[in-house]
Amino acid sequence: MIPLSSRTIYNLEKRGEFPRRIALTSRNVAWDLSEVEQWIEERKSSGIQAARPGNTIEA
């Protein structure tokens, strides 16, 4: 659902920028679907575009 690496999601969580994970077992985690959907909607409505590697414009 979220095309980000596990490490990126972990880093976002640590900074409080992604919903917290729920430990299902010692090796499996999940996220609350409504929280993830809300996170997606907030990203869509913010108008902030992530920088894409290699797409820099120099003056």
Side-chain angles (χ1 to χ4, degrees):
M1 181 172 199
I2 304 296
L4 299 173
S5 71
S6 300
R7 187 65 182 166
T8 298
I9 291 174
Y10 177 78
N11 289 336
L12 288 169
E13 283 180 294
K14 292 287 275 184
R15 294 192 308 256
E17 298 174 10
F18 193 80
R20 300 293 299 186
R21 65 184 62 208
I22 301 163
L24 301 177
T25 68
S26 62
R27 297 180 62 163
N28 292 299
V29 298
W31 290 265
D32 184 298
L33 179 59
S34 64
E35 291 178 7
V36 173
E37 289 174 335
Q38 180 180 354
W39 179 82
I40 292 170
E41 287 304 315
E42 289 170 359
R43 299 282 293 196
K44 286 169 49 177
S45 64
S46 73
I48 298 172
Q49 294 292 317
R52 296 176 189 261
N55 286 349
T56 58
I57 299 173
E58 295 186 29

